[in-house]
Amino acid sequence: MASLFGHGLVAYTVSKIVDSKSNKLLLFLAIGSAILPDLDVLAFKFGIPYSHPLGHRGFTHSILFAVLWSVLLALVFGKSRKLIFTIVLFIATLSHGLLDAITSGGKGVGFFIPVDNARFFFPFRPIKVSPIGVTEFFSEWGINVILSELKYIGIPCFVVLAVLVISKKMMTQQ
């Protein structure tokens, strides 16, 4: 998996792209939704194997989960902006699996669970897989993960956000 930092940064960027007026609640929900799929590591505690549909990178990383989760949150929190909330939260939630599919480790992502239990990776997998557990993260391995995320997530997100800020300033000066 990419780290919580990478997932959160992508969700923040998505929020700003889709909804320039994104309020703190939407930002918080988007970041939380982008991190949420990794709660499936709890499956290991219950003896559920990685390859099971409810295992790590399984259902919580699927497109169906992203749809259900984003619609639920939009209905509860979206007020008059349900469509914007749904779009931002769907992309933020789905981005988790997309990032995991470009990491260097694991057994793939179950994008199509429960219809198809197969696991997938993208051909381009430059992000170093993050270790599971806080202790392991604070190591040389963790530093390598952060560096790869800086290169493949941080810099692209920064460029996108900078372009948004510059374009807003140019629009207000006209």
Side-chain angles (χ1 to χ4, degrees):
M1 68 182 152
S3 76
L4 301 178
F5 305 112
H7 291 303
L9 181 57
V10 169
Y12 178 85
T13 304
V14 165
S15 295
K16 293 300 182 181
I17 292 170
V18 176
D19 182 28
S20 62
K21 297 180 278 185
S22 58
N23 60 28
K24 289 180 184 175
L25 175 62
L26 182 55
L27 285 171
F28 174 76
L29 291 172
I31 292 168
S33 295
I35 294 168
L36 175 72
D38 271 342
L39 285 180
D40 66 7
V41 296
L42 296 174
F44 294 131
K45 300 278 187 206
F46 297 103
I48 299 171
Y50 195 115
S51 59
H52 190 278
L54 296 177
H56 187 49
R57 291 186 174 178
F59 180 69
T60 61
H61 288 60
S62 72
I63 297 167
L64 179 60
F65 177 81
V67 168
L68 295 173
W69 180 251
S70 61
V71 169
L72 174 69
L73 288 182
L75 290 173
V76 173
F77 297 105
K79 296 181 184 174
S80 64
R81 304 178 68 221
K82 290 183 185 349
L83 181 60
I84 291 295
F85 268 61
T86 302
I87 292 168
V88 169
L89 297 173
F90 171 74
I91 296 170
T93 307
L94 186 62
S95 74
H96 186 107
L98 296 173
L99 287 178
D100 281 3
I102 61 171
T103 62
S104 62
K107 298 179 182 179
V109 177
F111 289 117
F112 304 109
I113 293 173
V115 176
D116 180 359
N117 290 335
R119 304 295 180 105
F120 300 91
F121 279 115
F122 293 125
F124 181 64
R125 297 173 51 197
I127 298 174
K128 303 289 183 222
V129 69
S130 182
I132 296 175
V134 176
T135 307
E136 292 81 10
F137 189 77
F138 292 102
S139 65
E140 185 177 346
W141 182 1
I143 291 169
N144 288 328
V145 168
I146 294 296
L147 292 174
S148 71
E149 287 185 3
L150 179 63
K151 182 176 180 180
Y152 293 103
I153 300 171
I155 292 172
C157 285
F158 174 77
V159 169
V160 167
L161 292 169
V163 167
L164 286 173
V165 168
I166 292 167
S167 63
K168 277 186 192 176
K169 285 186 180 185
M170 290 175 64
M171 297 292 269
T172 59
Q173 291 176 353
Q174 291 180 357

